[in-house]
Amino acid sequence: MQEKDIVLDVLNGVKSSLSHYATFISETACPNLRQTFQQMRDGDEKFQYDLYKIAEQKGYYTCSPSASAQDMSSVKTALTSSQPAGMMH
């Protein structure tokens, strides 16, 4: 297995873990356990970003083009309008 394959595999694994943390955190009633999951998620998010930057520098990963301000506004509007009333920020 080549380095590129290993890096991309690890990135995909961490991405999967991050989605699981969201479930664990939202379904945990114990404050201490919830905080532990949040800390673990935060650490994995930092690791994922650091590894992504290395992969990008080595040419293993190419990010998508930046979204325009109009695109970001449209997505934000769509997401906030689909949330239940008590969930809006």
Side-chain angles (χ1 to χ4, degrees):
M1 192 175 234
Q2 293 186 6
E3 181 182 68
K4 176 183 178 179
D5 298 323
I6 294 168
V7 168
L8 294 176
D9 192 43
V10 171
L11 282 171
N12 282 326
V14 174
K15 182 179 178 180
S16 175
S17 293
L18 290 172
S19 67
H20 292 311
Y21 284 127
T23 301
F24 300 157
I25 291 166
S26 67
E27 294 180 359
T28 301
C30 174
N32 290 338
L33 183 57
R34 182 181 175 93
Q35 182 178 20
T36 298
F37 285 141
Q38 289 171 330
Q39 290 169 342
M40 292 169 65
R41 179 209 52 210
D42 293 348
D44 279 2
E45 284 177 341
K46 182 183 179 331
F47 171 76
Q48 184 274 340
Y49 185 72
D50 292 344
L51 185 58
Y52 153 75
K53 294 305 285 180
I54 292 168
E56 184 182 42
Q57 289 171 355
K58 291 186 170 224
Y60 297 164
Y61 187 92
T62 304
C63 64
S64 59
S66 296
S68 69
Q70 182 179 358
D71 289 341
M72 289 187 287
S73 178
S74 296
V75 169
K76 182 179 178 182
T77 299
L79 290 174
T80 55
S81 66
S82 66
Q83 291 181 349
M87 299 291 291
M88 290 187 173
H89 300 327

